[in-house]
Amino acid sequence: MESTSLIERILRGIAITVVILFFMFPIFWIFLMSLQTNETILRVPPSMVFEPSLQNYRALITGQLETQTGTLEIRFMGNLFNSFFLSTTSVAIGLLLGVPAAYAFARLKFRGSEDIAFTLLSFRFAPPLLVLLPLTIYFQQIGLANTYGGLIWVYQLIVLPLILWIVRGYFEDIPADVEYAYRIAGHDFWATFRKIALPLAGPGIAAAGLLAFIFAWNNFIFALVLASADKQPVTVGALAFITASGIQYGQIAAGIILSIAPTFALALYAQRYLVEGLSLGAVKG
Amino acid sequence: MSLALNNIVKRFKTETVLNDVSLTVETGETLVLFGPSGAGKTVLLRLIAGVIEPDAGQILIHGKDMDGVEPEDRGIGMAFQNFALFPHMDASANIAAPLTARRMGQGAISDTVGKVAKMLKIDHVLHHKPKELSNGQKQRTALARALAGAPSILLLDDPLRNVDAKLRFEMRLELPRLLKDQQATVIYVTQDYKEAMALGDRIAVMSGHGIQQIGTPQDIYLNPANIDIARLFGDPVINLLDVTPEADGAGVVVSVSGQPLRLDAGYADAVGQDCVIGIRPESLRFVSKGTKGAIPVTIETEAPLNEKTVTLALTKNGREIMISRPAGEIAPSSGDAYVAADTSQVYLFDRKTGARVEHSSAENKKKGAA
């Protein structure tokens, strides 16, 4: 980077601070809320001075929610497991189906390939609510409503187009000659796919998988409509904190902190791959 | 015969790249495909390799029809112009690719890789990834990979294109021996006529969707089928002058810069046609004033090129011609001078079509003319 003047550096520092404050303050505030009781949260005016307590987290982990009217059973840890299970399985299946499909769309220009690829992308155009009503009726008729299988299937609407279109670009970036060279050396189509195309598109596949995981994890509407309590992920499970005796802000905040922790950790860990994968394109020969 | 192409046609969308191309290559022969870019040389190689399919025609390898045979089952080796190394594998894994395909043992693989690498002088960089290799090393690695499987047919797509001049010169000396040692049938693509002359047992000159002429390097040089081939082969470039042959009592005469140049009587058919005469710079020599048929010229400049000296001169009509002589031969280097042409070594071309005008006695020698 070229040398910058002192004023420029100061201004840049201020700008970055403002941006960080703007984006991080809500998360920071929620973190503070998660350590407080409902009484201190609802104080007017709000204050940053309070006695921190872990009782919200304790309530979530033990599943015993204490309210003025008595003890309430909640299944937050179950929700967390559901989120984890649904997202991981959906992404795994999405990769299993999407990566070979992306390769086909990138390399084999068959009749109607563009149309099919576009149709798959178009799943993302319509608001999910549009398909939910018919889907609910079908699912109830064929017995898929409120099953993990049904949810994972519907989650493919989120993850499959994403994986397909990101990974396809990476396959297209691999010079065809590199693959031809491997074929001519005597390896068949599948060996070439596994030994050349997959490793070279690796960063792209990782980036697509991570993004798909985050999208799946954050999904709310499909699970809200298609799953009942025991299959619900955290995004829907958090609704349980709106109880008859009031909204449990402290537990909601603790729930949010717990539910963003995995994606946050994953994103931090994979930051390098994400940035590399999304900006660079595949390795050039 | 190890390779035969019969009436190959290849189109991309509406554009015809190869139109009715036929070619046979003998076992152990090195055939050079020579021509300007866009002539379809690389397309032809890819058709042989099987990575693209012809729209019509037949490809036979060792007499077997290759229609529907996958690239991995054709038993060929290929080096790409852009090297096409596997970026995520080190040089040794790259070279080993044809061997791992045959499920050879680890020991046998590393023995063979070591031997090929040593022959190409890259044994010290076997553990480097392609991006850590210099261009020359990449090129040698690509060549080693093509050779490692000891294929019976070797396709080399302009392998010296992307390397520097020094390395290209070295490889041009090294390659013929290397290719002979392999005892493989080699098809070598190049745009460099010196490479074509140095490496080819035969040269197939390609342009305009097909093969214009096939022959030994000497044959192509001495009997170019058309004006383009005459221009492509030879350094310095052949002198081309517009002429109209005339008949006189004794035979056929053209006028070059006002001086009559007597041609072979076999060119009688060309009398009165618009023609171009081609005179190789080495067929011209300086003569003293008054020699019969001497063309007066004014010397512009002289360039010594190692083994020969090339003189650029202007004729009285202001046309540039080049005269080449072996270095060390004494000749005027400035001012006015006279040159004479060896009329047994001149070519006549049709000005409109560019085709060689054959003289009637040479008709039976005609080979592969378009």
Side-chain angles (χ1 to χ4, degrees), chain B residues 279-337:
Chain B
I279 310 171
R280 297 250 183 231
E282 52 271 32
S283 304
L284 286 169
R285 63 188 194 284
F286 288 100
V287 293
S288 55
K289 186 180 178 182
T291 309
K292 189 164 172 270
I295 305 159
V297 294
T298 311
I299 292 169
E300 288 279 295
T301 179
E302 191 183 72
L305 296 173
N306 298 330
E307 77 285 359
K308 63 192 169 201
T309 305
V310 176
T311 309
L312 178 68
L314 285 182
T315 66
K316 287 282 174 279
N317 296 345
R319 291 191 292 206
E320 286 183 348
I321 59 168
M322 284 190 280
I323 304 111
S324 173
R325 66 175 195 275
E329 200 175 292
I330 305 301
S333 60
S334 64
D336 290 338

Short mmCIF file of all heavy atoms in Angstrom, two decimals, chain B residues 279-337:
data_model
loop_
_atom_site.label_atom_id
_atom_site.label_comp_id
_atom_site.label_asym_id
_atom_site.label_seq_id
_atom_site.Cartn_x
_atom_site.Cartn_y
_atom_site.Cartn_z
N ILE B 279 12.30 -15.89 -56.60
CA ILE B 279 13.74 -16.18 -56.71
C ILE B 279 14.30 -16.19 -55.29
O ILE B 279 14.22 -15.18 -54.57
CB ILE B 279 14.48 -15.10 -57.54
CG1 ILE B 279 13.76 -14.85 -58.88
CG2 ILE B 279 15.93 -15.49 -57.76
CD1 ILE B 279 14.29 -13.65 -59.64
N ARG B 280 14.84 -17.32 -54.85
CA ARG B 280 15.42 -17.41 -53.51
C ARG B 280 16.64 -16.50 -53.42
O ARG B 280 17.41 -16.40 -54.40
CB ARG B 280 15.87 -18.85 -53.23
CG ARG B 280 14.73 -19.84 -53.23
CD ARG B 280 14.46 -20.34 -51.84
NE ARG B 280 13.42 -21.35 -51.86
CZ ARG B 280 12.35 -21.31 -51.06
NH1 ARG B 280 12.20 -20.31 -50.21
NH2 ARG B 280 11.45 -22.26 -51.10
N PRO B 281 16.82 -15.85 -52.29
CA PRO B 281 17.97 -14.95 -52.14
C PRO B 281 19.30 -15.67 -52.43
O PRO B 281 20.23 -15.06 -52.94
CB PRO B 281 17.90 -14.52 -50.68
CG PRO B 281 16.45 -14.62 -50.34
CD PRO B 281 15.95 -15.80 -51.13
N GLU B 282 19.36 -16.99 -52.14
CA GLU B 282 20.62 -17.69 -52.39
C GLU B 282 20.77 -18.12 -53.85
O GLU B 282 21.84 -18.61 -54.24
CB GLU B 282 20.80 -18.88 -51.44
CG GLU B 282 19.65 -19.85 -51.37
CD GLU B 282 18.62 -19.47 -50.31
OE1 GLU B 282 18.42 -18.26 -50.05
OE2 GLU B 282 18.00 -20.39 -49.75
N SER B 283 19.71 -17.93 -54.66
CA SER B 283 19.83 -18.20 -56.09
C SER B 283 20.33 -16.98 -56.86
O SER B 283 20.51 -17.03 -58.07
CB SER B 283 18.49 -18.62 -56.69
OG SER B 283 17.98 -19.71 -56.01
N LEU B 284 20.49 -15.87 -56.12
CA LEU B 284 21.00 -14.66 -56.76
C LEU B 284 22.48 -14.50 -56.40
O LEU B 284 22.89 -14.82 -55.29
CB LEU B 284 20.23 -13.42 -56.24
CG LEU B 284 18.81 -13.23 -56.76
CD1 LEU B 284 18.11 -12.14 -55.95
CD2 LEU B 284 18.82 -12.86 -58.24
N ARG B 285 23.27 -14.04 -57.38
CA ARG B 285 24.69 -13.79 -57.06
C ARG B 285 25.13 -12.51 -57.76
O ARG B 285 24.53 -12.09 -58.76
CB ARG B 285 25.55 -14.99 -57.47
CG ARG B 285 25.54 -15.25 -58.95
CD ARG B 285 26.23 -16.54 -59.33
NE ARG B 285 26.45 -16.54 -60.78
CZ ARG B 285 25.48 -16.76 -61.66
NH1 ARG B 285 24.25 -17.03 -61.27
NH2 ARG B 285 25.74 -16.70 -62.96
N PHE B 286 26.13 -11.92 -57.19
CA PHE B 286 26.66 -10.70 -57.78
C PHE B 286 27.53 -11.07 -58.98
O PHE B 286 28.28 -12.03 -58.94
CB PHE B 286 27.49 -9.93 -56.75
CG PHE B 286 26.65 -9.29 -55.69
CD1 PHE B 286 26.51 -9.88 -54.44
CD2 PHE B 286 25.96 -8.11 -55.94
CE1 PHE B 286 25.72 -9.31 -53.46
CE2 PHE B 286 25.17 -7.53 -54.98
CZ PHE B 286 25.05 -8.13 -53.73
N VAL B 287 27.37 -10.29 -60.06
CA VAL B 287 28.18 -10.52 -61.25
C VAL B 287 28.77 -9.18 -61.70
O VAL B 287 28.35 -8.12 -61.23
CB VAL B 287 27.35 -11.13 -62.41
CG1 VAL B 287 26.90 -12.55 -62.05
CG2 VAL B 287 26.16 -10.25 -62.73
N SER B 288 29.71 -9.27 -62.58
CA SER B 288 30.30 -8.02 -63.06
C SER B 288 29.41 -7.42 -64.15
O SER B 288 28.61 -8.10 -64.77
CB SER B 288 31.71 -8.29 -63.61
OG SER B 288 31.63 -9.30 -64.59
N LYS B 289 29.59 -6.10 -64.36
CA LYS B 289 28.79 -5.38 -65.35
C LYS B 289 28.98 -6.00 -66.73
O LYS B 289 30.08 -6.45 -67.06
CB LYS B 289 29.26 -3.91 -65.35
CG LYS B 289 28.42 -3.02 -66.22
CD LYS B 289 28.93 -1.60 -66.18
CE LYS B 289 28.07 -0.74 -67.10
NZ LYS B 289 28.56 0.64 -67.15
N GLY B 290 27.91 -6.06 -67.48
CA GLY B 290 28.02 -6.57 -68.83
C GLY B 290 27.75 -8.06 -68.96
O GLY B 290 27.62 -8.57 -70.06
N THR B 291 27.64 -8.77 -67.81
CA THR B 291 27.28 -10.18 -67.89
C THR B 291 25.89 -10.29 -68.48
O THR B 291 25.02 -9.47 -68.19
CB THR B 291 27.29 -10.81 -66.48
OG1 THR B 291 28.52 -10.50 -65.86
CG2 THR B 291 27.09 -12.31 -66.54
N LYS B 292 25.66 -11.32 -69.26
CA LYS B 292 24.39 -11.47 -69.94
C LYS B 292 23.25 -11.67 -68.93
O LYS B 292 23.36 -12.49 -68.01
CB LYS B 292 24.47 -12.70 -70.88
CG LYS B 292 23.30 -12.84 -71.80
CD LYS B 292 23.64 -13.81 -72.93
CE LYS B 292 22.41 -14.13 -73.76
NZ LYS B 292 21.68 -15.29 -73.25
N GLY B 293 22.18 -10.87 -69.06
CA GLY B 293 21.03 -10.99 -68.17
C GLY B 293 21.24 -10.38 -66.80
O GLY B 293 20.42 -10.57 -65.91
N ALA B 294 22.34 -9.63 -66.62
CA ALA B 294 22.60 -9.06 -65.29
C ALA B 294 21.60 -7.96 -64.99
O ALA B 294 21.31 -7.12 -65.83
CB ALA B 294 24.03 -8.52 -65.23
N ILE B 295 21.07 -7.98 -63.75
CA ILE B 295 20.08 -6.99 -63.34
C ILE B 295 20.81 -5.90 -62.56
O ILE B 295 21.45 -6.19 -61.55
CB ILE B 295 19.01 -7.63 -62.45
CG1 ILE B 295 18.38 -8.85 -63.17
CG2 ILE B 295 17.94 -6.63 -62.04
CD1 ILE B 295 17.72 -9.83 -62.23
N PRO B 296 20.68 -4.66 -62.99
CA PRO B 296 21.35 -3.58 -62.23
C PRO B 296 20.58 -3.27 -60.95
O PRO B 296 19.35 -3.18 -60.97
CB PRO B 296 21.32 -2.39 -63.19
CG PRO B 296 20.17 -2.66 -64.10
CD PRO B 296 20.00 -4.15 -64.18
N VAL B 297 21.28 -3.16 -59.82
CA VAL B 297 20.63 -2.83 -58.54
C VAL B 297 21.45 -1.80 -57.80
O VAL B 297 22.61 -1.57 -58.11
CB VAL B 297 20.49 -4.08 -57.65
CG1 VAL B 297 19.54 -5.09 -58.25
CG2 VAL B 297 21.84 -4.70 -57.34
N THR B 298 20.80 -1.17 -56.82
CA THR B 298 21.52 -0.26 -55.92
C THR B 298 21.47 -0.88 -54.53
O THR B 298 20.38 -1.19 -54.02
CB THR B 298 20.83 1.12 -55.88
OG1 THR B 298 20.60 1.52 -57.22
CG2 THR B 298 21.68 2.13 -55.15
N ILE B 299 22.65 -1.07 -53.94
CA ILE B 299 22.69 -1.74 -52.64
C ILE B 299 22.26 -0.77 -51.54
O ILE B 299 22.75 0.36 -51.46
CB ILE B 299 24.10 -2.30 -52.37
CG1 ILE B 299 24.36 -3.45 -53.35
CG2 ILE B 299 24.22 -2.79 -50.92
CD1 ILE B 299 25.78 -3.92 -53.36
N GLU B 300 21.31 -1.17 -50.75
CA GLU B 300 20.80 -0.35 -49.65
C GLU B 300 21.58 -0.63 -48.37
O GLU B 300 22.08 0.27 -47.72
CB GLU B 300 19.32 -0.68 -49.40
CG GLU B 300 18.38 -0.18 -50.48
CD GLU B 300 18.07 1.29 -50.29
OE1 GLU B 300 17.45 1.63 -49.29
OE2 GLU B 300 18.49 2.10 -51.15
N THR B 301 21.60 -1.91 -47.99
CA THR B 301 22.26 -2.26 -46.73
C THR B 301 22.69 -3.72 -46.78
O THR B 301 22.25 -4.50 -47.62
CB THR B 301 21.30 -2.02 -45.55
OG1 THR B 301 21.97 -2.39 -44.35
CG2 THR B 301 20.03 -2.83 -45.68
N GLU B 302 23.55 -4.08 -45.84
CA GLU B 302 24.08 -5.44 -45.81
C GLU B 302 24.05 -5.93 -44.37
O GLU B 302 24.38 -5.18 -43.45
CB GLU B 302 25.52 -5.42 -46.31
CG GLU B 302 26.09 -6.78 -46.59
CD GLU B 302 27.56 -6.68 -47.02
OE1 GLU B 302 28.40 -6.38 -46.15
OE2 GLU B 302 27.84 -6.89 -48.20
N ALA B 303 23.57 -7.15 -44.17
CA ALA B 303 23.49 -7.68 -42.81
C ALA B 303 24.19 -9.02 -42.72
O ALA B 303 23.79 -9.96 -43.39
CB ALA B 303 22.03 -7.83 -42.39
N PRO B 304 25.28 -9.11 -41.92
CA PRO B 304 25.92 -10.41 -41.73
C PRO B 304 25.11 -11.26 -40.74
O PRO B 304 24.76 -10.78 -39.67
CB PRO B 304 27.28 -10.06 -41.13
CG PRO B 304 27.16 -8.69 -40.59
CD PRO B 304 25.91 -8.05 -41.13
N LEU B 305 24.70 -12.47 -41.13
CA LEU B 305 23.92 -13.35 -40.26
C LEU B 305 24.70 -14.64 -40.04
O LEU B 305 24.39 -15.68 -40.60
CB LEU B 305 22.57 -13.68 -40.89
CG LEU B 305 21.59 -12.54 -41.13
CD1 LEU B 305 20.40 -13.03 -41.93
CD2 LEU B 305 21.13 -11.95 -39.81
N ASN B 306 25.73 -14.56 -39.22
CA ASN B 306 26.57 -15.72 -38.91
C ASN B 306 27.09 -16.41 -40.17
O ASN B 306 28.08 -15.96 -40.75
CB ASN B 306 25.81 -16.73 -38.05
CG ASN B 306 25.43 -16.13 -36.72
OD1 ASN B 306 26.15 -15.26 -36.24
ND2 ASN B 306 24.34 -16.57 -36.16
N GLU B 307 26.37 -17.45 -40.61
CA GLU B 307 26.93 -18.28 -41.67
C GLU B 307 26.69 -17.67 -43.05
O GLU B 307 27.19 -18.16 -44.05
CB GLU B 307 26.38 -19.71 -41.58
CG GLU B 307 24.95 -19.92 -42.10
CD GLU B 307 23.86 -19.39 -41.18
OE1 GLU B 307 24.19 -18.86 -40.09
OE2 GLU B 307 22.68 -19.48 -41.56
N LYS B 308 25.89 -16.61 -43.11
CA LYS B 308 25.65 -16.00 -44.42
C LYS B 308 25.54 -14.48 -44.28
O LYS B 308 25.38 -13.94 -43.19
CB LYS B 308 24.40 -16.58 -45.07
CG LYS B 308 23.14 -16.30 -44.29
CD LYS B 308 22.01 -17.15 -44.83
CE LYS B 308 20.82 -17.08 -43.87
NZ LYS B 308 19.92 -18.19 -44.04
N THR B 309 25.65 -13.83 -45.42
CA THR B 309 25.51 -12.39 -45.45
C THR B 309 24.35 -12.05 -46.38
O THR B 309 24.28 -12.59 -47.49
CB THR B 309 26.79 -11.73 -45.96
OG1 THR B 309 27.88 -12.17 -45.16
CG2 THR B 309 26.70 -10.21 -45.87
N VAL B 310 23.44 -11.21 -45.90
CA VAL B 310 22.27 -10.88 -46.69
C VAL B 310 22.36 -9.41 -47.11
O VAL B 310 22.62 -8.54 -46.28
CB VAL B 310 20.97 -11.13 -45.90
CG1 VAL B 310 19.77 -10.67 -46.70
CG2 VAL B 310 20.85 -12.59 -45.54
N THR B 311 22.18 -9.16 -48.39
CA THR B 311 22.23 -7.80 -48.91
C THR B 311 20.82 -7.40 -49.35
O THR B 311 20.14 -8.18 -50.03
CB THR B 311 23.16 -7.72 -50.13
OG1 THR B 311 24.41 -8.31 -49.78
CG2 THR B 311 23.38 -6.27 -50.55
N LEU B 312 20.39 -6.21 -48.93
CA LEU B 312 19.12 -5.67 -49.39
C LEU B 312 19.42 -4.65 -50.47
O LEU B 312 20.21 -3.74 -50.27
CB LEU B 312 18.37 -5.02 -48.23
CG LEU B 312 17.04 -4.36 -48.59
CD1 LEU B 312 16.01 -5.41 -48.98
CD2 LEU B 312 16.52 -3.53 -47.43
N ALA B 313 18.81 -4.83 -51.65
CA ALA B 313 19.10 -3.92 -52.76
C ALA B 313 17.80 -3.49 -53.42
O ALA B 313 16.76 -4.12 -53.25
CB ALA B 313 19.99 -4.63 -53.77
N LEU B 314 17.86 -2.38 -54.17
CA LEU B 314 16.70 -1.90 -54.91
C LEU B 314 16.96 -2.09 -56.40
O LEU B 314 18.05 -1.79 -56.89
CB LEU B 314 16.48 -0.41 -54.64
CG LEU B 314 15.88 -0.02 -53.29
CD1 LEU B 314 15.69 1.49 -53.23
CD2 LEU B 314 14.54 -0.72 -53.08
N THR B 315 15.95 -2.57 -57.13
CA THR B 315 16.09 -2.65 -58.57
C THR B 315 15.83 -1.27 -59.16
O THR B 315 15.41 -0.35 -58.44
CB THR B 315 15.09 -3.65 -59.18
OG1 THR B 315 13.78 -3.13 -58.97
CG2 THR B 315 15.20 -5.01 -58.53
N LYS B 316 16.00 -1.14 -60.44
CA LYS B 316 15.78 0.15 -61.11
C LYS B 316 14.32 0.58 -60.99
O LYS B 316 14.00 1.76 -61.03
CB LYS B 316 16.18 0.05 -62.59
CG LYS B 316 17.68 0.00 -62.79
CD LYS B 316 18.31 1.40 -62.66
CE LYS B 316 19.84 1.33 -62.72
NZ LYS B 316 20.44 0.95 -61.43
N ASN B 317 13.43 -0.40 -60.83
CA ASN B 317 12.00 -0.07 -60.69
C ASN B 317 11.62 0.21 -59.24
O ASN B 317 10.45 0.33 -58.91
CB ASN B 317 11.13 -1.20 -61.22
CG ASN B 317 11.34 -1.40 -62.70
OD1 ASN B 317 11.92 -0.53 -63.36
ND2 ASN B 317 10.91 -2.53 -63.21
N GLY B 318 12.62 0.22 -58.36
CA GLY B 318 12.35 0.54 -56.97
C GLY B 318 11.83 -0.63 -56.15
O GLY B 318 11.27 -0.44 -55.08
N ARG B 319 11.99 -1.87 -56.65
CA ARG B 319 11.53 -3.02 -55.89
C ARG B 319 12.67 -3.60 -55.05
O ARG B 319 13.81 -3.68 -55.52
CB ARG B 319 10.96 -4.08 -56.82
CG ARG B 319 9.65 -3.62 -57.43
CD ARG B 319 8.93 -4.71 -58.13
NE ARG B 319 9.64 -5.15 -59.32
CZ ARG B 319 9.03 -5.72 -60.36
NH1 ARG B 319 7.73 -5.91 -60.33
NH2 ARG B 319 9.71 -6.12 -61.39
N GLU B 320 12.35 -3.98 -53.82
CA GLU B 320 13.39 -4.50 -52.93
C GLU B 320 13.65 -5.96 -53.25
O GLU B 320 12.73 -6.76 -53.40
CB GLU B 320 12.92 -4.41 -51.46
CG GLU B 320 12.97 -2.99 -50.93
CD GLU B 320 12.58 -2.94 -49.45
OE1 GLU B 320 12.08 -3.96 -48.94
OE2 GLU B 320 12.79 -1.89 -48.84
N ILE B 321 14.90 -6.31 -53.33
CA ILE B 321 15.23 -7.73 -53.41
C ILE B 321 16.36 -8.04 -52.42
O ILE B 321 17.10 -7.15 -52.02
CB ILE B 321 15.65 -8.19 -54.83
CG1 ILE B 321 16.88 -7.40 -55.32
CG2 ILE B 321 14.51 -8.06 -55.81
CD1 ILE B 321 17.49 -8.01 -56.56
N MET B 322 16.41 -9.31 -52.01
CA MET B 322 17.46 -9.72 -51.09
C MET B 322 18.35 -10.74 -51.75
O MET B 322 17.90 -11.61 -52.49
CB MET B 322 16.84 -10.29 -49.81
CG MET B 322 16.32 -9.17 -48.92
SD MET B 322 15.86 -9.73 -47.31
CE MET B 322 14.27 -10.41 -47.66
N ILE B 323 19.64 -10.59 -51.48
CA ILE B 323 20.64 -11.50 -52.05
C ILE B 323 21.39 -12.09 -50.86
O ILE B 323 21.82 -11.37 -49.96
CB ILE B 323 21.63 -10.75 -52.97
CG1 ILE B 323 20.86 -10.01 -54.08
CG2 ILE B 323 22.66 -11.70 -53.56
CD1 ILE B 323 20.88 -8.51 -53.95
N SER B 324 21.50 -13.42 -50.85
CA SER B 324 22.19 -14.07 -49.75
C SER B 324 23.43 -14.77 -50.28
O SER B 324 23.39 -15.37 -51.35
CB SER B 324 21.24 -15.09 -49.11
OG SER B 324 21.92 -15.85 -48.15
N ARG B 325 24.52 -14.69 -49.56
CA ARG B 325 25.73 -15.41 -49.98
C ARG B 325 26.41 -15.95 -48.73
O ARG B 325 26.23 -15.42 -47.63
CB ARG B 325 26.65 -14.46 -50.75
CG ARG B 325 27.22 -13.33 -49.90
CD ARG B 325 28.22 -12.48 -50.69
NE ARG B 325 29.00 -11.65 -49.79
CZ ARG B 325 28.61 -10.45 -49.35
NH1 ARG B 325 27.43 -9.96 -49.68
NH2 ARG B 325 29.39 -9.77 -48.54
N PRO B 326 27.21 -17.00 -48.88
CA PRO B 326 27.93 -17.53 -47.72
C PRO B 326 28.83 -16.46 -47.14
O PRO B 326 29.42 -15.66 -47.89
CB PRO B 326 28.76 -18.69 -48.30
CG PRO B 326 28.07 -19.05 -49.57
CD PRO B 326 27.46 -17.78 -50.10
N ALA B 327 28.92 -16.44 -45.80
CA ALA B 327 29.76 -15.44 -45.15
C ALA B 327 31.19 -15.59 -45.64
O ALA B 327 31.68 -16.70 -45.86
CB ALA B 327 29.69 -15.62 -43.63
N GLY B 328 31.85 -14.47 -45.82
CA GLY B 328 33.26 -14.52 -46.23
C GLY B 328 33.45 -14.34 -47.72
O GLY B 328 34.53 -13.98 -48.17
N GLU B 329 32.38 -14.57 -48.50
CA GLU B 329 32.50 -14.40 -49.95
C GLU B 329 32.52 -12.90 -50.26
O GLU B 329 31.69 -12.15 -49.76
CB GLU B 329 31.30 -15.07 -50.63
CG GLU B 329 31.51 -15.38 -52.09
CD GLU B 329 30.33 -16.15 -52.66
OE1 GLU B 329 30.12 -17.31 -52.28
OE2 GLU B 329 29.58 -15.54 -53.45
N ILE B 330 33.49 -12.51 -51.06
CA ILE B 330 33.65 -11.08 -51.33
C ILE B 330 32.58 -10.61 -52.32
O ILE B 330 32.30 -11.29 -53.31
CB ILE B 330 35.05 -10.80 -51.94
CG1 ILE B 330 36.15 -11.35 -51.01
CG2 ILE B 330 35.26 -9.31 -52.19
CD1 ILE B 330 36.15 -10.75 -49.62
N ALA B 331 31.97 -9.45 -52.03
CA ALA B 331 30.95 -8.90 -52.92
C ALA B 331 30.84 -7.41 -52.63
O ALA B 331 31.26 -6.95 -51.57
CB ALA B 331 29.61 -9.58 -52.66
N PRO B 332 30.31 -6.67 -53.59
CA PRO B 332 30.14 -5.23 -53.34
C PRO B 332 29.21 -5.02 -52.15
O PRO B 332 28.27 -5.79 -51.95
CB PRO B 332 29.51 -4.69 -54.63
CG PRO B 332 29.26 -5.86 -55.51
CD PRO B 332 29.86 -7.07 -54.92
N SER B 333 29.49 -4.01 -51.32
CA SER B 333 28.67 -3.79 -50.14
C SER B 333 27.95 -2.46 -50.22
O SER B 333 27.20 -2.10 -49.32
CB SER B 333 29.53 -3.86 -48.88
OG SER B 333 30.52 -2.87 -48.94
N SER B 334 28.18 -1.67 -51.25
CA SER B 334 27.43 -0.42 -51.40
C SER B 334 27.47 0.01 -52.86
O SER B 334 28.20 -0.57 -53.67
CB SER B 334 28.05 0.66 -50.50
OG SER B 334 29.35 0.92 -50.93
N GLY B 335 26.66 1.00 -53.17
CA GLY B 335 26.66 1.55 -54.52
C GLY B 335 25.94 0.67 -55.52
O GLY B 335 25.13 -0.18 -55.16
N ASP B 336 26.22 0.88 -56.79
CA ASP B 336 25.56 0.13 -57.84
C ASP B 336 26.25 -1.22 -58.05
O ASP B 336 27.46 -1.32 -57.90
CB ASP B 336 25.58 0.93 -59.15
CG ASP B 336 24.66 2.15 -59.05
OD1 ASP B 336 23.76 2.11 -58.19
OD2 ASP B 336 24.88 3.12 -59.79
N ALA B 337 25.46 -2.20 -58.38
CA ALA B 337 26.03 -3.53 -58.62
C ALA B 337 25.13 -4.27 -59.59
O ALA B 337 24.07 -3.77 -59.98
CB ALA B 337 26.15 -4.30 -57.30
#
